[in-house]
Amino acid sequence: MAGPDSSDAPGRPLDSDSSDPLHLQLRGHLQAQILNHSLPPGTSLPSEAQLQVRYGVSRSVVRQALGALADEGLIERGRGRGSTVAPRREHHRLVHRTSGLSAQLGSTGASVGTEVLSLSVQDADASTAVLGTPQVLSLERLRTADGVPIAVIHTWLPAPAFADLTAESLQDASLHAVLGEKFGVQITSGKRQIRAVPGDRNLLRLLRLETSSPVLLLEGTSFDQDGRPVEVFSTWHHPDHVVFDIDIQREPAVPASAGSLASPAAEAPDAVADQARQLGADLLRLADRLSHRGY
């Protein structure tokens, strides 16, 4: 795609006085441009000699940096053709759909794995009061796609209704599928919120992220076919492996009655558009945080 000047995108210059080795600084400089799409997939990187001149470093520094990027799967190297930015290993989630992450990933052909981290009964609190039971079933899971950790999911369910759930029945399984098959419960609607948040030590360890990395948090409440709340959840997604997609459709315009102005409701964006704007704002904040991850 782009020529040898592709890495001229703005980035933090190398600092010879820094405690970080020069090869790590160069790796981080190029890595940040790849992750923020300043260097999109397929872009050709400058040659080793050009990188040496551009950053004022030795060939061994350049080779160490490029080797690390290749080990991370961010670039592809080939004899006689230089280095190019590798295709992104991204998984797309349609956040406006009621189908869960497992079902959506499975439909794309990805190999989905689920590890149950904990399953216990807890007293309900303000965050789970909507379920309407004094006790809730607390479920924590780690989801992988093609062997790579992509999400940590914490779900709360009404304890009396789902007391027969076991960790074994949920291992490498979709919770929504189990609720449908075992309890006749179908998730048909819900409310969702998206934000970028810092990850704590345990979360970062599970997702194999560096210290202080932000994550994409999707929270919500799901309702069954009878309109009853059956699930409260928080899902923390790996910011480099999961992309949130949302379809936007404008509601049909309502004709104005004769001699009057159009209804304000007809002119206002629909709820999905509002969600899209909020999502865009959250992702901009995430991008800003990603730019300060120390790369």
Short mmCIF file of all heavy atoms in Angstrom, two decimals, residues 71-128:
data_model
loop_
_atom_site.label_atom_id
_atom_site.label_comp_id
_atom_site.label_asym_id
_atom_site.label_seq_id
_atom_site.Cartn_x
_atom_site.Cartn_y
_atom_site.Cartn_z
N ASP A 71 7.27 -11.33 16.33
CA ASP A 71 6.86 -12.32 17.34
C ASP A 71 5.45 -12.03 17.85
O ASP A 71 4.71 -12.95 18.22
CB ASP A 71 7.84 -12.32 18.50
CG ASP A 71 9.20 -12.92 18.12
OD1 ASP A 71 9.27 -13.61 17.09
OD2 ASP A 71 10.18 -12.67 18.85
N GLU A 72 5.08 -10.75 17.89
CA GLU A 72 3.73 -10.37 18.34
C GLU A 72 2.69 -10.55 17.24
O GLU A 72 1.49 -10.35 17.49
CB GLU A 72 3.72 -8.90 18.79
CG GLU A 72 4.53 -8.61 20.02
CD GLU A 72 4.49 -7.13 20.36
OE1 GLU A 72 3.42 -6.62 20.76
OE2 GLU A 72 5.52 -6.46 20.20
N GLY A 73 3.13 -10.87 16.05
CA GLY A 73 2.19 -11.03 14.95
C GLY A 73 1.75 -9.73 14.33
O GLY A 73 0.78 -9.70 13.57
N LEU A 74 2.47 -8.63 14.63
CA LEU A 74 2.07 -7.32 14.10
C LEU A 74 2.65 -7.04 12.72
O LEU A 74 2.09 -6.24 11.96
CB LEU A 74 2.48 -6.21 15.08
CG LEU A 74 1.76 -6.21 16.43
CD1 LEU A 74 2.29 -5.08 17.31
CD2 LEU A 74 0.25 -6.08 16.24
N ILE A 75 3.78 -7.66 12.40
CA ILE A 75 4.35 -7.49 11.07
C ILE A 75 4.74 -8.85 10.50
O ILE A 75 4.88 -9.83 11.24
CB ILE A 75 5.60 -6.57 11.07
CG1 ILE A 75 6.76 -7.23 11.84
CG2 ILE A 75 5.27 -5.20 11.63
CD1 ILE A 75 8.08 -6.47 11.71
N GLU A 76 4.87 -8.90 9.18
CA GLU A 76 5.33 -10.10 8.49
C GLU A 76 6.63 -9.75 7.78
O GLU A 76 6.73 -8.70 7.13
CB GLU A 76 4.27 -10.57 7.49
CG GLU A 76 2.97 -11.00 8.15
CD GLU A 76 1.90 -11.36 7.14
OE1 GLU A 76 2.02 -10.91 5.98
OE2 GLU A 76 0.94 -12.06 7.51
N ARG A 77 7.63 -10.61 7.93
CA ARG A 77 8.94 -10.35 7.34
C ARG A 77 9.24 -11.44 6.30
O ARG A 77 8.93 -12.61 6.49
CB ARG A 77 10.02 -10.34 8.42
CG ARG A 77 9.71 -9.41 9.57
CD ARG A 77 10.77 -9.48 10.66
NE ARG A 77 12.03 -8.85 10.24
CZ ARG A 77 13.14 -8.89 10.96
NH1 ARG A 77 13.17 -9.58 12.10
NH2 ARG A 77 14.23 -8.27 10.54
N GLY A 78 9.84 -11.02 5.20
CA GLY A 78 10.19 -11.97 4.16
C GLY A 78 11.48 -11.56 3.47
O GLY A 78 11.71 -10.37 3.23
N ARG A 79 12.31 -12.54 3.16
CA ARG A 79 13.58 -12.26 2.49
C ARG A 79 13.32 -11.63 1.12
O ARG A 79 12.55 -12.15 0.31
CB ARG A 79 14.38 -13.54 2.34
CG ARG A 79 15.79 -13.35 1.77
CD ARG A 79 16.52 -14.68 1.66
NE ARG A 79 16.69 -15.28 2.98
CZ ARG A 79 17.70 -15.00 3.80
NH1 ARG A 79 18.61 -14.08 3.42
NH2 ARG A 79 17.81 -15.60 4.96
N GLY A 80 13.93 -10.48 0.89
CA GLY A 80 13.80 -9.82 -0.40
C GLY A 80 12.59 -8.93 -0.55
O GLY A 80 12.45 -8.23 -1.55
N ARG A 81 11.67 -8.96 0.43
CA ARG A 81 10.47 -8.10 0.30
C ARG A 81 10.25 -7.22 1.53
O ARG A 81 9.25 -6.52 1.62
CB ARG A 81 9.23 -8.94 0.02
CG ARG A 81 8.86 -9.92 1.12
CD ARG A 81 7.60 -10.70 0.75
NE ARG A 81 7.21 -11.68 1.76
CZ ARG A 81 6.46 -11.39 2.81
NH1 ARG A 81 6.02 -10.16 2.99
NH2 ARG A 81 6.14 -12.34 3.68
N GLY A 82 11.19 -7.24 2.47
CA GLY A 82 11.07 -6.36 3.62
C GLY A 82 9.97 -6.76 4.58
O GLY A 82 9.51 -7.91 4.58
N SER A 83 9.53 -5.79 5.38
CA SER A 83 8.51 -6.04 6.41
C SER A 83 7.23 -5.30 6.06
O SER A 83 7.26 -4.15 5.60
CB SER A 83 9.01 -5.57 7.78
OG SER A 83 10.20 -6.24 8.15
N THR A 84 6.10 -5.96 6.26
CA THR A 84 4.80 -5.34 6.05
C THR A 84 3.93 -5.54 7.28
O THR A 84 4.11 -6.50 8.04
CB THR A 84 4.07 -5.95 4.83
OG1 THR A 84 3.92 -7.36 5.04
CG2 THR A 84 4.86 -5.70 3.55
N VAL A 85 2.99 -4.63 7.48
CA VAL A 85 2.07 -4.74 8.61
C VAL A 85 1.12 -5.91 8.36
O VAL A 85 0.50 -6.02 7.29
CB VAL A 85 1.26 -3.43 8.79
CG1 VAL A 85 0.29 -3.57 9.96
CG2 VAL A 85 2.22 -2.25 9.02
N ALA A 86 1.03 -6.79 9.33
CA ALA A 86 0.24 -8.01 9.18
C ALA A 86 -1.26 -7.72 9.29
O ALA A 86 -1.66 -6.71 9.89
CB ALA A 86 0.64 -9.03 10.25
N PRO A 87 -2.10 -8.57 8.72
CA PRO A 87 -3.55 -8.43 8.91
C PRO A 87 -3.89 -8.48 10.40
O PRO A 87 -3.28 -9.24 11.15
CB PRO A 87 -4.12 -9.65 8.17
CG PRO A 87 -3.05 -10.04 7.21
CD PRO A 87 -1.75 -9.72 7.87
N ARG A 88 -4.83 -7.67 10.81
CA ARG A 88 -5.20 -7.62 12.22
C ARG A 88 -6.01 -8.84 12.61
O ARG A 88 -6.90 -9.29 11.89
CB ARG A 88 -6.04 -6.37 12.52
CG ARG A 88 -5.29 -5.07 12.37
CD ARG A 88 -4.19 -4.91 13.40
NE ARG A 88 -4.73 -4.91 14.74
CZ ARG A 88 -5.15 -3.82 15.37
NH1 ARG A 88 -5.10 -2.66 14.76
NH2 ARG A 88 -5.61 -3.89 16.60
N ARG A 89 -5.71 -9.40 13.79
CA ARG A 89 -6.51 -10.51 14.33
C ARG A 89 -7.64 -9.91 15.15
O ARG A 89 -7.64 -9.91 16.37
CB ARG A 89 -5.63 -11.41 15.19
CG ARG A 89 -4.51 -12.10 14.42
CD ARG A 89 -3.70 -13.00 15.34
NE ARG A 89 -4.51 -14.08 15.89
CZ ARG A 89 -4.07 -14.96 16.78
NH1 ARG A 89 -2.83 -14.87 17.23
NH2 ARG A 89 -4.86 -15.90 17.24
N GLU A 90 -8.61 -9.36 14.46
CA GLU A 90 -9.73 -8.68 15.12
C GLU A 90 -10.99 -9.55 15.07
O GLU A 90 -11.25 -10.21 14.08
CB GLU A 90 -10.02 -7.34 14.44
CG GLU A 90 -8.92 -6.32 14.60
CD GLU A 90 -9.26 -5.02 13.89
OE1 GLU A 90 -10.13 -5.04 12.99
OE2 GLU A 90 -8.65 -4.00 14.23
N HIS A 91 -11.73 -9.48 16.15
CA HIS A 91 -13.05 -10.13 16.20
C HIS A 91 -14.09 -9.04 16.40
O HIS A 91 -13.96 -8.20 17.27
CB HIS A 91 -13.09 -11.14 17.35
CG HIS A 91 -12.06 -12.23 17.23
ND1 HIS A 91 -12.23 -13.32 16.40
CD2 HIS A 91 -10.85 -12.38 17.81
CE1 HIS A 91 -11.16 -14.10 16.49
NE2 HIS A 91 -10.31 -13.56 17.33
N HIS A 92 -15.12 -9.07 15.56
CA HIS A 92 -16.12 -8.02 15.57
C HIS A 92 -17.35 -8.45 16.36
O HIS A 92 -17.87 -9.54 16.17
CB HIS A 92 -16.50 -7.65 14.14
CG HIS A 92 -15.40 -6.96 13.39
ND1 HIS A 92 -15.42 -5.62 13.09
CD2 HIS A 92 -14.22 -7.43 12.91
CE1 HIS A 92 -14.30 -5.29 12.45
NE2 HIS A 92 -13.56 -6.38 12.33
N ARG A 93 -17.81 -7.55 17.24
CA ARG A 93 -19.00 -7.83 18.04
C ARG A 93 -20.08 -6.80 17.71
O ARG A 93 -19.85 -5.59 17.76
CB ARG A 93 -18.69 -7.76 19.54
CG ARG A 93 -19.93 -8.00 20.39
CD ARG A 93 -19.60 -8.26 21.84
NE ARG A 93 -20.78 -8.77 22.53
CZ ARG A 93 -20.80 -9.19 23.78
NH1 ARG A 93 -19.68 -9.16 24.50
NH2 ARG A 93 -21.90 -9.66 24.32
N LEU A 94 -21.25 -7.30 17.35
CA LEU A 94 -22.41 -6.44 17.07
C LEU A 94 -23.09 -6.14 18.41
O LEU A 94 -23.88 -6.94 18.92
CB LEU A 94 -23.37 -7.13 16.11
CG LEU A 94 -22.79 -7.41 14.72
CD1 LEU A 94 -23.69 -8.37 13.94
CD2 LEU A 94 -22.61 -6.11 13.94
N VAL A 95 -22.79 -4.98 18.99
CA VAL A 95 -23.23 -4.71 20.35
C VAL A 95 -24.72 -4.41 20.44
O VAL A 95 -25.29 -4.42 21.54
CB VAL A 95 -22.43 -3.54 20.95
CG1 VAL A 95 -20.98 -3.92 21.10
CG2 VAL A 95 -22.56 -2.28 20.10
N HIS A 96 -25.38 -4.16 19.30
CA HIS A 96 -26.81 -3.89 19.34
C HIS A 96 -27.64 -5.16 19.18
O HIS A 96 -28.87 -5.10 19.16
CB HIS A 96 -27.19 -2.91 18.21
CG HIS A 96 -26.80 -3.40 16.85
ND1 HIS A 96 -25.50 -3.39 16.41
CD2 HIS A 96 -27.55 -3.92 15.83
CE1 HIS A 96 -25.45 -3.88 15.19
NE2 HIS A 96 -26.67 -4.21 14.81
N ARG A 97 -26.98 -6.31 19.09
CA ARG A 97 -27.69 -7.58 18.98
C ARG A 97 -27.78 -8.26 20.34
O ARG A 97 -26.90 -8.11 21.19
CB ARG A 97 -26.96 -8.51 18.01
CG ARG A 97 -26.83 -7.95 16.59
CD ARG A 97 -28.11 -8.14 15.81
NE ARG A 97 -27.99 -7.59 14.45
CZ ARG A 97 -27.48 -8.27 13.44
NH1 ARG A 97 -27.03 -9.51 13.61
NH2 ARG A 97 -27.42 -7.72 12.23
N THR A 98 -28.83 -9.04 20.56
CA THR A 98 -29.00 -9.75 21.83
C THR A 98 -28.14 -11.01 21.90
O THR A 98 -27.91 -11.54 22.99
CB THR A 98 -30.47 -10.14 22.05
OG1 THR A 98 -30.92 -10.96 20.96
CG2 THR A 98 -31.36 -8.90 22.15
N SER A 99 -27.68 -11.49 20.75
CA SER A 99 -26.85 -12.70 20.76
C SER A 99 -25.55 -12.42 21.51
O SER A 99 -24.97 -11.34 21.42
CB SER A 99 -26.55 -13.16 19.34
OG SER A 99 -26.00 -12.11 18.57
N GLY A 100 -25.08 -13.41 22.25
CA GLY A 100 -23.89 -13.24 23.07
C GLY A 100 -22.62 -13.31 22.26
O GLY A 100 -22.61 -13.63 21.06
N LEU A 101 -21.50 -13.03 22.93
CA LEU A 101 -20.20 -13.02 22.28
C LEU A 101 -19.86 -14.38 21.71
O LEU A 101 -19.33 -14.50 20.60
CB LEU A 101 -19.13 -12.57 23.28
CG LEU A 101 -17.70 -12.46 22.77
CD1 LEU A 101 -17.61 -11.50 21.60
CD2 LEU A 101 -16.76 -12.03 23.89
N SER A 102 -20.16 -15.45 22.44
CA SER A 102 -19.82 -16.80 21.98
C SER A 102 -20.51 -17.12 20.66
O SER A 102 -19.88 -17.63 19.73
CB SER A 102 -20.23 -17.83 23.05
OG SER A 102 -19.97 -19.14 22.61
N ALA A 103 -21.80 -16.82 20.57
CA ALA A 103 -22.55 -17.12 19.35
C ALA A 103 -22.03 -16.30 18.18
O ALA A 103 -21.91 -16.80 17.05
CB ALA A 103 -24.03 -16.86 19.57
N GLN A 104 -21.74 -15.03 18.42
CA GLN A 104 -21.27 -14.17 17.33
C GLN A 104 -19.90 -14.61 16.82
O GLN A 104 -19.65 -14.65 15.61
CB GLN A 104 -21.23 -12.72 17.78
CG GLN A 104 -22.62 -12.12 18.00
CD GLN A 104 -22.59 -10.61 18.15
OE1 GLN A 104 -21.65 -9.95 17.72
NE2 GLN A 104 -23.61 -10.05 18.76
N LEU A 105 -19.00 -14.96 17.74
CA LEU A 105 -17.69 -15.41 17.31
C LEU A 105 -17.78 -16.74 16.57
O LEU A 105 -17.12 -16.96 15.56
CB LEU A 105 -16.76 -15.54 18.52
CG LEU A 105 -16.36 -14.25 19.23
CD1 LEU A 105 -15.49 -14.57 20.43
CD2 LEU A 105 -15.62 -13.32 18.28
N GLY A 106 -18.61 -17.65 17.10
CA GLY A 106 -18.76 -18.95 16.47
C GLY A 106 -19.29 -18.87 15.06
O GLY A 106 -18.91 -19.66 14.19
N SER A 107 -20.14 -17.85 14.80
CA SER A 107 -20.72 -17.72 13.47
C SER A 107 -19.69 -17.28 12.43
O SER A 107 -19.92 -17.41 11.23
CB SER A 107 -21.88 -16.72 13.50
OG SER A 107 -21.41 -15.41 13.76
N THR A 108 -18.56 -16.75 12.88
CA THR A 108 -17.51 -16.31 11.96
C THR A 108 -16.48 -17.41 11.70
O THR A 108 -15.54 -17.21 10.93
CB THR A 108 -16.78 -15.08 12.51
OG1 THR A 108 -16.05 -15.43 13.69
CG2 THR A 108 -17.76 -13.97 12.83
N GLY A 109 -16.64 -18.54 12.35
CA GLY A 109 -15.71 -19.64 12.17
C GLY A 109 -14.58 -19.67 13.17
O GLY A 109 -13.72 -20.56 13.10
N ALA A 110 -14.55 -18.72 14.11
CA ALA A 110 -13.50 -18.72 15.13
C ALA A 110 -13.71 -19.88 16.09
O ALA A 110 -14.84 -20.31 16.35
CB ALA A 110 -13.52 -17.40 15.90
N SER A 111 -12.61 -20.40 16.62
CA SER A 111 -12.68 -21.46 17.63
C SER A 111 -12.84 -20.80 18.99
O SER A 111 -11.92 -20.15 19.49
CB SER A 111 -11.40 -22.29 17.59
OG SER A 111 -11.40 -23.26 18.63
N VAL A 112 -14.03 -20.94 19.59
CA VAL A 112 -14.36 -20.23 20.82
C VAL A 112 -14.18 -21.15 22.02
O VAL A 112 -14.64 -22.29 22.02
CB VAL A 112 -15.82 -19.72 20.78
CG1 VAL A 112 -16.14 -18.93 22.04
CG2 VAL A 112 -16.05 -18.88 19.53
N GLY A 113 -13.49 -20.64 23.04
CA GLY A 113 -13.31 -21.39 24.28
C GLY A 113 -13.81 -20.58 25.46
O GLY A 113 -13.76 -19.35 25.44
N THR A 114 -14.32 -21.27 26.47
CA THR A 114 -14.82 -20.60 27.67
C THR A 114 -14.33 -21.35 28.90
O THR A 114 -14.59 -22.55 29.04
CB THR A 114 -16.36 -20.54 27.70
OG1 THR A 114 -16.83 -19.90 26.52
CG2 THR A 114 -16.85 -19.79 28.92
N GLU A 115 -13.64 -20.64 29.78
CA GLU A 115 -13.19 -21.20 31.05
C GLU A 115 -13.99 -20.56 32.18
O GLU A 115 -14.06 -19.34 32.29
CB GLU A 115 -11.70 -20.92 31.26
CG GLU A 115 -11.18 -21.42 32.60
CD GLU A 115 -9.73 -21.02 32.86
OE1 GLU A 115 -9.09 -20.48 31.93
OE2 GLU A 115 -9.26 -21.23 33.99
N VAL A 116 -14.62 -21.38 33.00
CA VAL A 116 -15.37 -20.88 34.16
C VAL A 116 -14.38 -20.60 35.28
O VAL A 116 -13.71 -21.51 35.78
CB VAL A 116 -16.45 -21.87 34.61
CG1 VAL A 116 -17.16 -21.36 35.86
CG2 VAL A 116 -17.45 -22.13 33.48
N LEU A 117 -14.27 -19.34 35.68
CA LEU A 117 -13.33 -18.95 36.73
C LEU A 117 -13.94 -19.10 38.11
O LEU A 117 -13.26 -19.45 39.07
CB LEU A 117 -12.89 -17.49 36.52
CG LEU A 117 -12.25 -17.19 35.15
CD1 LEU A 117 -11.97 -15.70 35.02
CD2 LEU A 117 -10.96 -18.00 34.99
N SER A 118 -15.25 -18.84 38.23
CA SER A 118 -15.93 -19.00 39.53
C SER A 118 -17.43 -19.05 39.30
O SER A 118 -17.95 -18.51 38.33
CB SER A 118 -15.57 -17.86 40.49
OG SER A 118 -16.10 -16.63 40.03
N LEU A 119 -18.11 -19.72 40.22
CA LEU A 119 -19.58 -19.80 40.22
C LEU A 119 -20.02 -19.92 41.67
O LEU A 119 -19.69 -20.89 42.34
CB LEU A 119 -20.05 -21.01 39.41
CG LEU A 119 -21.57 -21.23 39.32
CD1 LEU A 119 -22.25 -20.07 38.60
CD2 LEU A 119 -21.89 -22.56 38.64
N SER A 120 -20.76 -18.92 42.14
CA SER A 120 -21.14 -18.91 43.56
C SER A 120 -22.44 -18.13 43.75
O SER A 120 -22.86 -17.35 42.88
CB SER A 120 -20.03 -18.28 44.41
OG SER A 120 -19.82 -16.93 44.03
N VAL A 121 -23.07 -18.35 44.90
CA VAL A 121 -24.28 -17.63 45.28
C VAL A 121 -23.88 -16.46 46.17
O VAL A 121 -23.11 -16.63 47.12
CB VAL A 121 -25.28 -18.55 46.00
CG1 VAL A 121 -26.49 -17.74 46.49
CG2 VAL A 121 -25.72 -19.68 45.08
N GLN A 122 -24.40 -15.28 45.86
CA GLN A 122 -24.10 -14.08 46.63
C GLN A 122 -25.37 -13.33 46.96
O GLN A 122 -26.39 -13.52 46.30
CB GLN A 122 -23.16 -13.16 45.83
CG GLN A 122 -21.83 -13.76 45.44
CD GLN A 122 -21.00 -12.82 44.60
OE1 GLN A 122 -21.46 -11.75 44.19
NE2 GLN A 122 -19.75 -13.20 44.34
N ASP A 123 -25.29 -12.46 47.96
CA ASP A 123 -26.41 -11.57 48.26
C ASP A 123 -26.51 -10.52 47.17
O ASP A 123 -25.50 -10.01 46.69
CB ASP A 123 -26.22 -10.90 49.62
CG ASP A 123 -26.32 -11.88 50.78
OD1 ASP A 123 -27.00 -12.92 50.61
OD2 ASP A 123 -25.74 -11.61 51.85
N ALA A 124 -27.72 -10.19 46.80
CA ALA A 124 -27.93 -9.15 45.80
C ALA A 124 -27.53 -7.79 46.38
O ALA A 124 -27.59 -7.57 47.59
CB ALA A 124 -29.39 -9.13 45.36
N ASP A 125 -27.10 -6.89 45.49
CA ASP A 125 -26.79 -5.53 45.92
C ASP A 125 -27.46 -4.56 44.95
O ASP A 125 -28.30 -4.96 44.13
CB ASP A 125 -25.27 -5.31 45.99
CG ASP A 125 -24.58 -5.59 44.66
OD1 ASP A 125 -25.26 -5.57 43.60
OD2 ASP A 125 -23.37 -5.84 44.66
N ALA A 126 -27.09 -3.28 45.02
CA ALA A 126 -27.76 -2.27 44.20
C ALA A 126 -27.60 -2.55 42.71
O ALA A 126 -28.52 -2.29 41.93
CB ALA A 126 -27.20 -0.89 44.54
N SER A 127 -26.46 -3.10 42.32
CA SER A 127 -26.21 -3.33 40.89
C SER A 127 -27.01 -4.50 40.33
O SER A 127 -27.22 -4.59 39.12
CB SER A 127 -24.72 -3.57 40.64
OG SER A 127 -24.29 -4.76 41.28
N THR A 128 -27.47 -5.41 41.21
CA THR A 128 -28.22 -6.58 40.74
C THR A 128 -29.66 -6.58 41.26
O THR A 128 -30.38 -7.57 41.07
CB THR A 128 -27.52 -7.88 41.18
OG1 THR A 128 -27.36 -7.88 42.61
CG2 THR A 128 -26.16 -8.00 40.52
#
